[in-house]
Amino acid sequence: MNKVMLIGNVGKDPDVKYYDADQAVAVFPLATTERGYTLPNGTQVPDRTDWHNIVLYRGLAKVAEKYVHKGDKLYIEGRIKYRSYDDQKGQKRYVTEIYGENMELLSPKPQDNNEK
């Protein structure tokens, strides 16, 4: 089974592109942080942040375009994919991506002062 579940903060606004009859793909980085701790001998272990490349398709990409912004907290559920390519210098590059199948917005909605 290939299943990934992440809770983290969006690193930048999603980059959304449209193709084939209004189909969309959204790409953005997500940061997850493992909190630091103190060992019994007093040694401090610092926080550790990992960055993940998130890819969303179709309706989920359109939701991300409309509602997801830099700094928002998200829950992403999906699968991990690996790919490689040759860069301009002919070097082999490897990319790890999370293909999202479910997304939940965890940041509170901004308050609209005009509502009564």
Side-chain angles (χ1 to χ4, degrees):
M1 177 186 299
N2 182 353
K3 186 151 197 113
V4 176
M5 292 180 279
L6 300 171
I7 294 177
N9 292 45
V10 177
K12 68 176 191 168
D13 287 349
D15 180 22
V16 180
K17 293 190 167 71
Y18 285 85
Y19 63 96
D20 291 344
D22 200 35
Q23 296 300 307
V25 61
V27 178
F28 59 91
L30 186 78
T32 57
T33 301
E34 183 179 331
R35 295 288 170 215
Y37 53 93
T38 303
L39 295 172
N41 67 5
T43 303
Q44 296 281 345
V45 177
D47 289 354
R48 178 184 163 167
T49 300
D50 290 311
W51 288 92
H52 311 275
N53 298 313
I54 307 298
V55 180
L56 305 174
Y57 284 99
R58 296 176 286 287
L60 217 46
K62 292 178 183 180
V63 169
E65 179 180 36
K66 194 170 184 181
Y67 298 108
V68 174
H69 305 288
K70 179 179 179 178
D72 286 351
K73 185 174 284 272
L74 293 181
Y75 167 78
I76 298 283
E77 187 176 310
R79 55 194 163 82
I80 194 166
K81 286 191 100 176
Y82 304 99
R83 64 182 174 89
S84 64
Y85 65 94
D86 293 327
D87 68 9
Q88 295 171 347
K89 295 180 181 177
Q91 296 284 328
K92 181 78 100 187
R93 300 289 179 186
Y94 298 92
V95 179
T96 303
E97 297 170 317
I98 307 300
Y99 280 62
E101 296 167 350
N102 184 23
M103 174 180 70
E104 290 184 32
L105 306 170
L106 302 178
S107 292
K109 292 181 182 178
Q111 294 296 322
D112 186 356
N113 293 333
N114 296 331
E115 290 184 16
K116 295 183 180 179

